[in-house]
Amino acid sequence: MSGMASTLAQKRARAAGFGTNQNANKYLNQDFEALRSQCLSQGQLFCDPYFPAAPESLGFRELGPHSSKTRGVQWQRPGELCSSPQFITGGATRTDICQGALGDCWLLAAIASLTLNEDVMARVVPSNQDFESNYAGIFHFQFWQFGDWVDVVIDDRLPVRNGELLFVHSEEGSEFWSALLEKAYAKVNGSYEALSGGSTTEGFEDFTGGIAEQYELRRAPDDMFQIIQKALASGALLGCSIDITSAADSEAITRQKLVKGHAYSLTGAVEVNYRGGLTKLVRMRNPWGQVEWTGAWSDGSHEWDSVDPSERPNASIEDGEFWMSFSEFLQQYSRVEICTLTPDAITSDKVKPWGVTNFHGTWRKGSTAGGCRNHPYTFWMNPQFVIKVEDEDEDPGCSLVVGLIQKNRRRLRKEGQDMHTIGYAIYEVPSEFEGQRNLHLDKNFFLRHAQKARSETFINLREVSTRFSLPPGEYLIVPSTFEPNKDGDFCLRVFSEKQTKTERCDDPIDAQLKDETVSDSEVEEGFRNLFLKLAGNDMEISAAELGKIMNKVVAKRTDIKTDGFSMTTCRTFVNLMDDTGNGKLGLGEFATLWKKVQKYMDIYKENDRDGSGNISTTELRGALSRAGFTLDDTIFQILVARNADPDLNIDFDDFVGCLMRLELMFRVFRKMDPKETGFLELDFENWLYLTMI
């Protein structure tokens, strides 16, 4: 129940405008200003109870509590490491970011690119933080997390060994913004070790809220250099890397001092006059702060002697930043990653931002985790979204980027879980379905229709994103894991250059409830005699008596599987049928109940396709529809979680109990909402009454 309440609270917060960069959600409900004021008034330095200076904050395996890599680690504040610590000196620069004993070069490359855009930097690193005025050992940073911005509070106790910072640090050793930012990001992801290994695009997105694309340079488009230039000019963040062919290649240094399997920032792209012609150059930065390219156009190389001084950048400092020709870049590097920013992150009038839509969803075993198209009989169960493309660009079709992110997988690493393999398929919506949103398309649609487009690949990364050019029309996007029955939460985003509209496509929550009441006078003589025999002297049937009757009947059946009706289920039956409120069933009430059970028995057997005696969760949605209920993905997930066994089957008593509870909830709501407004206003007493029935 607490999980459901949390989900509802998040939806309300988004609707109220929380979660933007200007109004970020307080991570773990920690309020920076309130905590700092409290520490200042008490004369104490802040100690974060949610991310303590303790082994568990470092990691769980290689950086676990008793590992050799954490032996001798202490936690110290910047004032204990140098006499005059500074938060930022002379503005945040790329040289403030030097990698330590943690494999998060991907993150540091993203941080380095962040420093190139002051506006974006200011969104992540709030101003008015230092070690002087109002210093209380507390700092805060803002990150984009799956559709929402969160404000993350930390204390400034940093992991240290032999008097030096263990992880990221500045060249000077007295500037601490990058080390504190890394700590805040580690807190969001559960530990420092959770940051080991990743893609620069992940950092790009969490610092901007933008969407990232990858280009494999061995098949780069002809206009790749122009794409890079335009991206840099529009404030996008860029990274690049060199693939490894074996574990031994990881961070191996080539003869010309390039590091394999290492994330670099791509920070510049220019054309210079060289020996009578134009030469394309690109600039990279190694987040180690050293180890630079030594080939053509490297720092101090003779090529620069043939370039006019007015075109010559400062290219002689061993700071990890270097130039190379674009043609050499295409030969040496494997891929480029580009993060396009959201409209709210762009302040320049010269840049035309793309539109963005964002949706949250879940895959749940047995209900909404249908796997990819390789599983045609469950694929349709995945969540579905419709995008309406209304305008074309200058070129034929509308340019858009569809990104699918799986949420919070880094935090689950300590539990032995990692990234799922994810992707999506896109279908053109046939004319007969255009404009319909209260409809979850079933397996027959997907068996008859081929996909129009798909994500470039299914892969075990946090995000899969692909650029498309689609003509005007409506398209169905179906995000999924590669294998069915994988639990996970996701965020689906669509960035479009022209006007588009994206909506969730799902069944409405509704019930067609017929009046099946049987009055005492309508009861047949044979059934009346049976009731007199079963009811006893009081001429009524209690929940306990009902359980005995129901279980005696189903025990004789060999065509259905059941472990018996529980007392809780029988009480639900009585609550639904009992009009007098005495907790028992009279003749007509019992006859009405028996009629319902018989109807549900027919539906159950009809949907037991293989004659196994029970129905699978795949068959449940159709059975619910036959009984008159349509439910959206969220409600269906809850029903499956509460009624299915470990093999994702539902036996007869759970099936009937599920339908009875649904009918009870619908009838109670409609009785309390006679004007059919779709809303109830309750005091606490009525709320308790409703939750107890």
Side-chain angles (χ1 to χ4, degrees), residues 596-666:
K596 288 182 181 294
V597 172
Q598 291 290 89
K599 181 182 75 171
Y600 293 156
M601 172 79 77
D602 292 340
I603 294 172
Y604 187 81
K605 288 176 61 62
E606 177 187 321
N607 284 273
D608 179 15
R609 310 289 185 191
D610 58 2
S612 62
N614 55 30
I615 62 173
S616 69
T617 56
T618 308
E619 298 163 328
L620 177 60
R621 205 157 187 162
L624 290 170
S625 179
R626 280 279 290 110
F629 297 98
T630 57
L631 305 173
D632 67 10
D633 286 344
T634 304
I635 303 299
F636 187 61
Q637 287 172 358
I638 296 171
L639 288 188
V640 169
R642 293 183 177 180
N643 293 283
D645 65 19
D647 295 323
L648 301 179
N649 292 317
I650 299 175
D651 62 15
F652 181 65
D653 59 282
D654 285 324
F655 176 71
V656 176
C658 171
L659 291 176
M660 290 293 194
R661 280 189 288 273
L662 276 174
E663 183 174 346
L664 178 60
M665 288 187 286
F666 273 99

Side-chain angles (χ1 to χ4, degrees), residues 268-396:
V270 299
E271 289 185 283
V272 297
N273 288 291
Y274 176 67
R275 295 182 178 178
L278 288 174
T279 295
K280 296 180 175 68
L281 302 178
V282 289
R283 181 177 64 197
M284 271 77 65
R285 184 174 191 281
N286 181 350
W288 283 352
Q290 52 190 353
V291 185
E292 295 183 12
W293 163 251
T294 58
W297 298 100
S298 60
D299 290 3
S301 67
H302 66 83
E303 285 81 8
W304 292 109
D305 297 335
S306 301
V307 176
D308 188 274
S310 63
E311 295 186 76
R312 230 181 273 173
N314 185 3
S316 60
I317 303 172
E318 180 71 13
D319 57 0
E321 194 163 66
F322 56 88
W323 292 87
M324 66 164 50
S325 71
F326 182 65
S327 58
E328 186 86 58
F329 171 74
L330 291 176
Q331 294 176 27
Q332 297 288 344
Y333 282 81
S334 305
R335 72 178 47 80
V336 167
E337 299 160 326
I338 300 175
C339 182
T340 301
L341 302 185
T342 53
D344 63 319
I346 296 173
T347 57
S348 172
D349 294 334
K350 299 178 181 179
V351 178
K352 185 178 181 181
W354 284 26
V356 187
T357 53
N358 183 53
F359 286 92
H360 301 267
T362 55
W363 296 299
R364 289 294 179 266
K365 180 179 179 181
S367 56
T368 55
C372 69
R373 279 179 52 87
N374 294 347
H375 308 273
Y377 291 98
T378 57
F379 176 71
W380 67 275
M381 299 172 67
N382 289 298
Q384 302 173 8
F385 302 85
V386 169
I387 177 171
K388 185 175 183 180
V389 178
E390 297 181 337
D391 294 319
E392 292 186 297
D393 306 335
E394 288 74 11
D395 300 321

